[in-house]
Amino acid sequence: MMSEAKSRVRLGITGIVVMALFCGLFARLWFLQIASSESFAAQTEQNRVRVLHESATRGTILDTNGREIVESAFVNTIRVRRGLTDEEREAMVPNLAEVLDVTQGYINKRLDSVRYSPYEAVPIKNGVSFDKLVYIKERPEMFPKVDVVRRSVRLYPVFEELAKIYPSLYADTTAASHLLGYVGAINKDEQKLHKGEGYGPDDVIGKGGVEQVFETELRGNPRKRKLEIDSRGRLVQVLNDRPAEAGNDVQLTMDIDIQRIADESLVQGMRNAGYLQDTSVKDRFKTYGAKGGAVIVLDATDGSVIAMASRPSFDIREFTYGTPFEKFAALNDPASNSPLLNRVIQGEYAPGSTWKTFTALAALQTGIVDPEVVVIDRGFIEFGDEPNVQTFKNAKKEAHGAVKLRGAIQVSSDVYFYALGFKFWRAFSDANRVKGYAIQNLARDYGFGDQTGIGLPDEHFGRIPDQKFKATINKGNPDSSTQLWLPGDSAALAVGQGDLLVTPLQLAAGYAAFANGGTLYQPRLARLILTPGGQQVLREIPSQPVTEINLDPTIRAQVMDGLKDALIGIGSAQPAFSGLSLPTGWQVAGKTGTAEVFGKQDTSVFAGILNPDPPEGSVICAHHELLLKPGCIPQYVVVSFIEEGGFGASVAAPIVRRIMEAIGAKVTPSPADDIPPKVRVIREKKPGSGD
Amino acid sequence: MAYQQLERQRHHRRTMQAASHGLDRGGRTLVDRDMFARLDWVLLGACVAILCFGLLMVYSSSRNKVDDDYYFIIRQAVALVLGIGVFTWLLRVDYRKFRDFSMLAYVLTVSALFFVLTPIGSEAGGATSWYELPFDFQLQPAELAKFGLIVALAGYVNEHRGADIDPWRLTVIIALAAVPIGLVLLQPDLGTDMVLLSIVVGLLAVGGVRGRYLLALTLLAVTMVWAVIEIGMLTEYQLERLNIGGSGDDTQGSAYNQDQSIKTIGSGDWLGFGLFQGPQTRLGFVPEQHTDFIFTAVGEELGFVGAGSLLLLFAIVLWRTWRIAQLASDYYGTLVCAGVLAMFTFMIVENVGMCLGVMPVTGIPLPFMSYGGSAMITCCACMALVQNVYANRFN
């Protein structure tokens, strides 16, 4: 039995092989279960747990005085539940399309859309009338799996009220669109950005304006249900149901009355520009286009945004209830002058002569000029040696004669400021960067060339030109002189022209810092966060000083005197401000600007300061404190820009004047010109009522 | 040899005791108590423990599959009762009788496999592999063929014991095995074929074929499996189950099955989620969990402790089978045990390895655990053979 003995050896080998295989299995089991168990448990949870969110009631947006600007209400929404058979669907879709007045394709597209979870009903239409609801509800055989829920939408009570008083002006909700923003269905990019915050495919999200900035406050916490489903997608149990928490209310710094006047004045100013003849061209019948404009009212004491208007505008209500596609396309079309653009923060303009304030400050602070030295303004100035003499002219080619600094600001003498520009350029060419770049450095201190940090989306930076900027932008240009900082560059910068660009908000914030004695504030949109329903203050949003600028009171006074004079006597803005009616003791100062734009008509600019210096014995207080502290006076900066609007004095200045008068009238109200004040009713809100 | 003498004395004493209660009744009893006294109780205990595991897990993984929670478990219990019946009946027959009738076993196996391909057999899932029985039961002849092949091939190898297997006899063995393997391939059922091949390889390895023949044979087998897939004898469904050419993100195919399987076992940790508590098992996220992927239910609900214990029990079964192969009183007994050992090893390693993601996905059941009557009866029959060899090791 030799073979049997051998087979024992073979059996032994077999045994070892079997043992080795088993050791392998054990090792693998150990590795899977013990060495790396965490991640697997999480992965299997993804199989069975579905999280569904249901939006909470969105918070109310109030103006600085507590008036409800935007609130939430519920509308009836028609939905189609999941689980339709093909035949049911074929029969139901035409019926539903007929009743809801939409196309069958529209319903089918929504039903097939991957945006909706296969466990949730698909919303088809908002705001369906009661008759139609009854019709649908009474005929379940015609409308299988069709149901109705109440969904939260935005309402604009103030504008509805205004529409009753001024039907033509407020037929559409456009007066504060850029400031308020709107809510709309979340898109893919936003969903990616807010991943993990529980936004469903049909949820709405704040877009632009306050709605976007305070999204987290306004939104509240959605109802969150954790469901356990089996492999066939059937609900097994509800693991967790967290109720919704309504969103907080946001109280803005904006004053709706001033906002209304600001927007109205802007519209009116733009319309008036259309009747003015463009004197810069020969054509007698050429008037100004005035296709776009911006107005901003800042509280100079704390940087609060009191009003912010940009035109052309759009109807936020249309966004709330769904915008027809073709209309949306028109809104984005440059041919309609980009209504979605918030020109206050996204429009970049040359500030023109309004910039002279900062040139003067830079010249005085660096000591490059003695304010008492007289310059003879002959209407033009020449620079350079023969034969390369360059001639720079005044805007209207008129000669202002002998002017000092104060007078030069008053009459807006370009020649005086060109001369300053050349002084800066000489310092620059002598390699004195402190003096040579004094305007640029001062501009950066006042917040130019950077976002103000107001928080609104896509704020633009503006532009402060210097030698480095020219070298970068003209890189590769065969003419190497374009990369140099030339005398003309300094001269243009001194009068707010050339490559300099600012946003209206930057100019307002810069003027506010100058007006309040040197504190640059980050513009503020809201001042309070309130509990849902507004009963309690949850927290305050303090004003945010960015920097304390070193501003010598004497220098401030020297420049401010010029700005005050500009509105009186032979001042450039005197015509626009003659007969100004303000409460006693109030003062104004300001500066016109007419900025040349290559290939377009001039931009009309005005920057005004209301109450630059408080009269003896009175104190300056913030806008929202006016009612609390009687006798104190407020301080504002009002800036307006009109694209292709012509002279600052003729278009932008009257807008500012109107706004200033309205502010004055509001603080000392005359009953005729005001919307009756509404007592804020504390509404009863069911926190978190979903549907 | 002292140990063997001691064993022999103990065995004799037990036989005497058994004779005193059993045989004096004059006649054969239904359960041969004498036989039972001589069983390997460790092996039997391990098998019973695995069966208990199996019933619990079949219930756990199948109760939410159909409306009647007890549908699968009742059928499995019926199969187990039948299996116990077969086990008891086979124990009453001396295994050497199988040696003498091995050719008959071969003919029966081949006929069963042949007739299932005729209209007598029925088709399901693209394979003609069932005989329909009353009460909605099915018989899978390919499962029984495993038992048949062990008995038959061991018989042939045994007839030519005493020398190494020469090329001629090797050819005969391969030809003998090729017939049932070919018939199963026609069903087609590649998984069972691989088990049958493992039996052939096991018998040849222990039976004394030279290493290089064994190597050549293994290569041949691999080539054959490859050829079968290439020729396209398998349907899409079976290819998918074999995990060949399967892509990673295929949600319905075998890659998905194995991915779920790994996650399910991986989430078990030390003690698992508790019996009937495993979410993947409870909610049915592992396809084929009550049959081929039953090990995942153990892994998830009983954790490393449970799954490890199950593997240990299987190791005990294999160890005792291996030991009995050595203790066998004749060469045929050794060969039969070697065949069963090879078959069980392949099935366990392939099935558990598949669940753990280290072996390809094939439709091979886990012995005593997976839902399926024919496999259960076959496993019981094979265990009966091994116990039979043990009980008769001194005769």
Side-chain angles (χ1 to χ4, degrees), chain A residues 8 11 28 33 43 47 231, chain B residues 260 283-284 299 322 326 356:
Chain A
R8 272 175 206 284
L11 257 178
R28 175 69 180 164
Q33 297 198 295
Q43 283 172 26
N47 274 342
S231 59
Chain B
Q260 288 298 328
L283 303 170
W322 177 82
Q326 291 201 319
L356 294 173

Side-chain angles (χ1 to χ4, degrees), chain A residues 448-468:
Chain A
F448 295 95
D450 195 5
Q451 293 177 325
T452 62
I454 189 172
L456 293 172
D458 306 321
E459 190 185 358
H460 284 204
F461 283 77
R463 188 165 75 191
I464 302 173
D466 55 15
Q467 203 263 316
K468 215 190 262 174

Side-chain angles (χ1 to χ4, degrees), chain A residues 112-123:
Chain A
D112 296 330
S113 170
V114 289
R115 283 177 53 209
Y116 302 105
S117 153
Y119 310 102
E120 282 178 303
V122 180

Side-chain angles (χ1 to χ4, degrees), chain A residues 463-531:
Chain A
R463 188 165 75 191
I464 302 173
D466 55 15
Q467 203 263 316
K468 215 190 262 174
F469 161 77
K470 283 199 77 185
T472 317
I473 203 159
N474 291 317
K475 204 174 182 181
N477 191 323
D479 181 3
S480 65
S481 71
T482 58
Q483 299 176 20
L484 298 175
W485 186 252
L486 299 172
D489 292 319
S490 278
L493 180 63
V495 297
Q497 289 284 165
D499 293 315
L500 177 69
L501 290 177
V502 303
T503 66
L505 183 62
Q506 280 175 341
L507 192 65
Y511 263 82
F514 166 67
N516 68 27
T519 309
L520 179 68
Y521 284 99
Q522 177 179 306
R524 183 172 67 151
L525 287 171
R527 58 189 190 88
L528 295 173
I529 302 292
L530 310 169
T531 52

Side-chain angles (χ1 to χ4, degrees), chain A residues 406-465:
Chain A
R406 181 169 176 174
I409 296 172
Q410 180 185 24
V411 299
S412 200
S413 162
D414 287 347
V415 167
Y416 185 94
F417 282 90
Y418 286 141
L420 286 185
F422 296 139
K423 284 187 177 177
F424 284 117
W425 186 82
R426 280 197 201 92
F428 172 80
S429 69
D430 293 342
N432 186 343
R433 286 288 186 272
V434 177
K435 280 191 179 177
Y437 277 160
I439 301 177
Q440 286 94 328
N441 293 338
L442 181 115
R444 287 194 189 96
D445 286 347
Y446 278 83
F448 295 95
D450 195 5
Q451 293 177 325
T452 62
I454 189 172
L456 293 172
D458 306 321
E459 190 185 358
H460 284 204
F461 283 77
R463 188 165 75 191
I464 302 173

